[in-house]
Amino acid sequence: QVQLVESGGGLVQAGGSLILSCVASGRPLSNFAMGWFRQAPGKDREFVASISWNGDNTVYADSVKGRSTISRDNALNTVYLRVNSLKPRDTAVYYCAASINYSGSYASSHYDYWGQGTQVTVSS
């Protein structure tokens, strides 16, 4: 079992930036490919970004491509998501997830562990 705890959410003005963090415990983060997902009210959970086991490869959803960066520091058991130029449509609960066997996957079913989420609210 691995535990994931997200932090860094909050209220941000449109056009601003934020950095979300996800800290893993129970197992080394290096054992997992990592992903970020988000879920807005009334909508399905959607893929945001993913990063491979060693950070060599990253994948971004079209909705955040060009204004976001996913990174990881395995020594700190932490994965990060930076999003710039935030838009009201970015408002959602953001979740980090860990995958044992898949890297760069858009499918939530490929992830084995999930955090509880952190709320991001972008004001107009």
Side-chain angles (χ1 to χ4, degrees):
Q1 187 69 230
V2 63
Q3 295 77 43
L4 304 173
V5 180
E6 304 96 335
S7 63
L11 178 62
V12 186
Q13 287 185 309
S17 301
L18 59 77
I19 300 175
L20 305 180
S21 299
C22 175
V23 179
S25 61
R27 298 181 187 177
L29 188 67
S30 59
N31 290 348
F32 307 97
M34 300 295 297
W36 284 95
F37 293 76
R38 67 187 184 185
Q39 187 168 20
K43 296 184 178 181
D44 294 333
R45 186 171 299 184
E46 66 175 348
F47 171 81
V48 177
S50 67
I51 187 166
S52 60
W53 291 269
N54 61 4
D56 287 346
N57 297 298
T58 57
V59 179
Y60 298 93
D62 288 341
S63 59
V64 300
K65 190 175 298 182
R67 60 187 182 96
S68 65
T69 302
I70 186 171
S71 60
R72 66 192 299 161
D73 188 334
N74 287 345
L76 297 178
N77 283 336
T78 304
V79 62
Y80 306 92
L81 178 70
R82 180 183 179 94
V83 185
N84 301 320
S85 301
L86 285 161
K87 310 174 188 298
R89 70 175 303 275
D90 293 321
T91 296
V93 177
Y94 284 70
Y95 301 88
C96 71
S99 177
I100 298 173
N101 297 310
Y102 299 92
S103 180
S105 179
Y106 287 76
S108 60
S109 62
H110 288 168
Y111 291 83
D112 303 283
Y113 303 100
W114 294 81
Q116 295 300 305
T118 184
Q119 176 71 51
V120 173
T121 302
V122 183
S123 62
S124 300

